[in-house]
Amino acid sequence: MCLIAFAWQMSGRPLLLLGNRDEFHPRATRPAGFWNEEGHPQLLAGKDLEAGGTWLGVTRSGRFAALTNIRSPAACRGPRSRGDLVRDYLTGRLSPEAYLTDITQNLGDYAGFNLLVGTMQELWFLNSDEAQPRPLEPGVYGLSNASLNDPWPKLQALCRGLEERLDSDCDSDELLELLKDSREYPDDQLPDSGVGLEWERRLSAAFILGEDYGTRASSLLAIDADGSITFVEQGFGPNGQELGESGWIL
C-alpha cells in the first residue's frame, strides 16, 4: 500500500484502518478474497500475481498486517518481494514482536518498507531504515512512503478525516470516501523523495489518477471489540475507473 491511516484501540474498537494501494495498472493482481487455492482458507487478502505476496490482509482469528513501501529511488531492490512480509506473518504463528524481531535479521533481503503486524491485543511496527520493532500505543497514526506520521499533506488530511469520524455512526461508504481525495498539493508542501517534481506532484494526491499508474484499490479493515471483522475493498482501473466493491463480515 502507499497510504494508510489507522486508529488503534480507540473509541472502544481495536482497529479501524483505511488504505490505498497505488501501483502500475498492468501489474497482475487478484482482488481481495480467501486464499483457498493456496491452502490458507483463513486468510483474506488481495494478491500480487507477479510476486505472490500481498499488501494488506486479515485472518479469521484476527491476525492482520499491512505494508507500505519506502520511496527511495537509490535504494537496492532486494532479492525478495516486500509483499512476502505480510503474507508470511498472516500464514504463520509467531507473535507480532517475535515476527518483526526475526525480520530484522534479514532486512537486506527487501527494499525499504514500513510494516504493521498485529492481533486484537497488540500492534507492532517496523520501519526497515530504523530496524527497531516497537509496539504502538492507542492512537491515530498515518503511514505513506516515508516514516510513521511523516507530515505529508495527503497523510495529515486522511488522519484528520479519520479522527473526526471515530465517534460518529458513519458507515463504510463514508469512511472510504476519505480515500478518494484526488487533489494535488502546492509545490512548497511536497516532500522531496527523489522522484522529481512532476512525480512528487502526481503522488501528492491521496487518490492518484493516471492511465499507467494510480490507485488500484481502496480498503477498509475494522475489528470490533467482540472480535467481528469487517473488510471492504473497492477496485479501480486506469484514470479511476470503478471496477466494483467486495465486502466481508467475519
Side-chain angles (χ1 to χ4, degrees):
M1 306 193 83
C2 291
L3 180 65
I4 300 174
F6 60 97
W8 169 244
Q9 301 292 354
M10 298 288 287
S11 300
R13 170 187 277 161
L15 179 72
L16 178 58
L17 180 150
L18 299 172
N20 275 345
R21 179 192 181 228
D22 306 326
E23 183 54 87
F24 287 97
H25 287 292
R27 187 169 180 128
T29 298
R30 188 176 71 194
F34 286 100
W35 287 35
N36 298 317
E37 296 179 359
E38 291 84 357
H40 302 294
Q42 80 285 357
L43 171 57
L44 174 59
K47 186 175 183 181
D48 173 14
L49 296 177
E50 183 173 308
T54 188
W55 52 94
L56 169 68
V58 64
T59 69
R60 293 183 183 276
S61 64
R63 287 170 72 89
F64 63 91
L67 174 92
T68 70
N69 299 340
I70 294 176
R71 197 156 74 223
S72 178
C76 297
R77 181 173 181 176
R80 295 193 62 187
S81 168
R82 290 168 286 199
D84 292 352
L85 295 165
V86 175
R87 180 200 62 203
D88 291 349
Y89 170 74
L90 293 172
T91 58
R93 296 185 178 181
L94 289 178
S95 70
E97 180 182 9
Y99 183 73
L100 293 187
T101 300
D102 187 55
I103 286 173
T104 60
Q105 310 306 309
N106 301 287
L107 291 176
D109 289 348
Y110 309 92
F113 64 86
N114 294 297
L115 181 61
L116 297 165
V117 295
T119 66
M120 283 187 61
Q121 292 77 35
E122 56 181 327
L123 176 57
W124 283 71
F125 168 71
L126 174 65
N127 174 290
S128 60
D129 291 342
E130 299 169 359
Q132 183 61 53
R134 57 187 172 103
L136 295 184
E137 298 297 323
V140 175
Y141 298 87
L143 269 175
S144 189
N145 302 116
S147 56
L148 188 68
N149 290 335
D150 244 28
W152 289 11
K154 66 177 180 181
L155 187 60
Q156 292 179 315
L158 181 60
C159 287
R160 283 195 302 270
L162 176 60
E163 191 163 14
E164 289 167 358
R165 289 160 177 79
L166 284 181
D167 295 321
S168 68
D169 293 326
C170 59
D171 58 18
S172 61
D173 288 338
E174 183 177 346
L175 289 167
L176 286 163
E177 271 305 307
L178 296 172
L179 294 168
K180 295 180 180 178
D181 185 357
S182 61
R183 61 179 158 165
E184 297 180 0
Y185 289 86
D187 291 354
D188 62 357
Q189 297 182 32
L190 303 183
D192 181 5
S193 60
V195 297
L197 184 56
E198 182 179 350
W199 270 95
E200 295 289 7
R201 289 168 176 162
R202 188 175 176 187
L203 299 176
S204 71
F207 189 92
I208 299 171
L209 298 170
E211 184 68 31
D212 56 341
Y213 180 93
T215 299
R216 298 279 304 273
S218 294
S219 303
L220 177 150
L221 173 60
I223 302 179
D224 290 330
D226 64 0
S228 63
I229 299 167
T230 301
F231 189 102
V232 181
E233 181 185 87
Q234 297 174 337
F236 303 95
N239 298 313
Q241 176 190 3
E242 295 183 4
L243 301 180
E245 175 178 308
S246 298
W248 297 262
I249 298 178
L250 309 181

